[in-house]
């Protein structure tokens, strides 16, 4: 059973959309930075589909293929399969992943990496539900839901003519965008709780708890690697803290440094600091003209000089 943690409004909206589309057979495009939970959401959609009325066929298959992980030549063979003798080394016919996904879900991860050829063939799969294996004459009929995942801007790829517009439109029927974790901080601690349980089970230790300071640091951190980075941070902390309490010292240096920098930035300024800041701003505005600056600030030139001198001390 797949659980999608969604505390923030943005993630709740994404999960709600996923739930709605799950019962249908509509194609889905899931976008989001690396580690935001695209694969997790795709599995969630499939799991709900299987439970729903729409899946009357019993165990609908779930097939995932990472378009970025395979060399171009292999990707097509992997997707569409091949007949014996289609290319050197094709000693026996092999069905592709699309055939394997018949009556189920086909997840195309990193869809932007599809070759032009594969894009054309995939369009035909979507529009006519048919294709041929490499080197094959026989037309194969297939019926599956496509879930495309991408962490790049597909519209931009379309503009560059690196991605077919017609295919893009076909994939983009329902789009679920997952915001970066730093833009939905309410999800950080609930996700951390899930990862704490997972790590405890995986390593056979007592479920650790985060100290208040550790929680605050995590909530403040920007997570360039999103939920995946959080999962790694928690797993590492569980291992070094040995299943007890996880404190700031058990978090990676990147997290601790970020917290320090932030704290410094967030320290309240003194009146003198605000005043100096403002004087610098006005001097910039008057391009260094001190009489003009003094006039705007409502003080004498002499007073301005004094303040400038004391701010340098
Ligand atoms: N909202 C969420 N709820 C539960 N687990 C999540 C959520 N988002 C991400 N994860 C988990 O974080 C990890 C990274 O997510 P993943 O789906 O692989 O990201 P992506 O495919 O976008 O790179 C996985 O272990 C995934 O299960
Ligand atoms: Mg992924």
């Amino acid at each position: 059973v797949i659980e999608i943690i969604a505390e923030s409004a943005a993630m709740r909206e994404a999960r709600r959309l996923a739930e709605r589309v799950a019962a249908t057979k509509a194609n889905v495009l899931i976008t989001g930075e690396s580690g935001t939970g695209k694969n997790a959401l795709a599995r969630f959609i499939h799991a709900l589909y299987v439970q729903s009325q729409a899946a009357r066929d019993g165990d609908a298959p779930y097939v995932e293929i990472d378009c970025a992980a395979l060399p171009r030549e292999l990707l097509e063979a992997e997707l569409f399969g091949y007949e014996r003798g289609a290319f050197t080394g094709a000693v026996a016919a092999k069905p592709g992943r699309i055939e394997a996904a018949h009556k189920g879900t086909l997840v195309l991860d990193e869809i932007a990496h599809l070759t032009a050829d594969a894009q054309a063939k995939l369009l035909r799969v979507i529009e006519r539900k048919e294709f041929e294996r490499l080197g094959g004459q026989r037309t194969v009929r297939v019926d599956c839901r496509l879930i495309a995942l991408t962490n790049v801007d597909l519209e931009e790829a379309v503009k560059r003519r690196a991605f077919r517009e017609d295919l893009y439109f076909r994939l983009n029927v329902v789009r679920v965008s997952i915001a970066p974790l730093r833009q939905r901080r309410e999800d950080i601690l609930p996700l951390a709780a899930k990862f704490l349980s997972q790590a405890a089970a995986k390593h056979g230790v007592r479920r650790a708890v985060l100290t208040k300071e550790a929680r605050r640091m995590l909530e403040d951190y920007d997570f360039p690697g999103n939920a995946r980075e959080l999962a790694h941070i928690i797993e590492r902390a569980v291992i070094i803290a040995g299943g007890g309490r996880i404190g700031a010292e058990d978090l990676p240096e990147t997290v601790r440094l970020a917290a320090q920098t932030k704290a410094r930035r967030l320290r309240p300024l003194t009146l003198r600091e605000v005043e100096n800041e403002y004087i610098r701003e006005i001097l910039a505005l008057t391009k260094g003209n001190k009489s003009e600056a003094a006039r705007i600030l409502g003080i004498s030139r002499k007073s301005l000089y004094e303040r400038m001198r004391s701010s340098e001390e």
Side-chain angles (χ1 to χ4, degrees), residues 3-5 33-40 191 194-195 227-228:
E3 184 200 11
I4 294 294
I5 308 276
E33 286 180 9
S34 182
T36 46
K38 298 183 294 297
N39 287 80
L191 276 171
K194 176 196 149 159
F195 296 142
R228 181 174 302 116

Side-chain angles (χ1 to χ4, degrees), residues 14-276:
R15 187 177 62 188
R16 199 186 57 88
L17 199 54
E19 283 164 352
R20 285 220 186 159
V21 77
T24 74
K25 284 181 162 188
N27 295 333
V28 185
L29 177 65
I30 305 179
T31 63
E33 286 180 9
S34 182
T36 46
K38 298 183 294 297
N39 287 80
L41 204 61
R43 259 179 274 122
F44 177 70
I45 291 172
H46 177 76
L48 291 185
Y49 171 73
V50 168
Q51 281 173 24
S52 79
Q53 283 298 315
R56 290 178 204 102
D57 318 305
D59 35 56
Y62 180 79
V63 177
E64 243 181 59
I65 183 163
D66 185 350
C67 303
L70 290 165
R72 302 166 68 94
E73 321 81 65
L74 281 186
L75 179 59
E76 265 188 65
E78 200 49 37
L79 264 179
F80 300 97
Y82 49 84
E83 296 296 349
R84 182 181 163 170
F87 47 84
T88 340
V91 289
K94 190 179 171 226
R97 311 291 283 157
I98 293 181
E99 272 179 78
H102 185 53
K103 295 202 180 295
T105 306
L106 177 65
V107 176
L108 296 169
D109 204 349
E110 304 279 6
I111 185 102
H113 282 77
L114 275 188
T115 59
D117 255 8
Q119 288 181 33
K121 286 183 184 164
L122 185 63
L123 186 65
R124 186 166 157 231
V125 169
I126 295 175
E127 289 185 335
R128 314 255 299 273
K129 302 192 182 302
E130 62 181 34
F131 68 97
E132 284 93 37
R133 293 180 182 174
L134 303 193
Q137 303 296 320
R138 192 171 56 90
T139 297
V140 181
R141 309 250 341 140
V142 63
D143 181 22
C144 63
R145 184 219 300 272
L146 271 175
I147 303 183
L149 315 182
T150 184
N151 62 7
V152 305
D153 186 350
L154 270 191
E155 285 94 338
E156 195 268 335
V158 167
K159 278 193 198 113
R160 276 191 291 115
R161 307 221 173 275
F163 202 84
R164 290 181 71 117
E165 186 172 44
D166 44 10
L167 178 58
Y168 168 68
F169 286 141
R170 285 295 192 163
L171 295 172
N172 195 32
V173 174
V174 177
R175 145 120 52 159
V176 184
S177 310
I178 311 183
L181 189 52
R182 63 186 165 280
Q183 287 172 16
R184 46 182 174 95
R185 295 189 183 273
E186 302 95 311
D187 293 334
I188 293 175
L189 292 183
L191 276 171
K194 176 196 149 159
F195 296 142
L196 279 168
S197 304
Q198 273 182 355
K202 180 174 170 188
H203 297 286
V205 293
R206 207 151 44 84
R207 190 183 180 288
V209 293
L210 296 162
T211 64
K212 198 171 171 197
E213 195 188 9
R215 286 203 304 271
R216 215 204 55 233
M217 276 189 181
L218 289 173
E219 278 186 312
D220 278 351
Y221 183 58
D222 275 347
F223 296 99
N226 296 295
R228 181 174 302 116
E229 184 181 8
L230 176 58
H232 288 157
I233 289 171
I234 295 291
E235 182 173 5
R236 174 183 173 276
V238 163
I239 293 166
I240 52 184
R245 283 159 68 81
I246 294 176
E249 66 283 0
D250 302 314
L251 299 178
E253 191 162 330
T254 45
V255 176
R256 278 181 287 133
L257 281 180
Q260 251 176 40
T261 314
K262 206 154 207 164
R264 210 172 297 132
R265 225 179 29 240
L266 291 181
R267 180 180 62 82
L269 299 176
T270 65
L271 197 52
R272 173 53 66 84
E273 282 168 333
V274 173
E275 192 176 289
N276 289 340

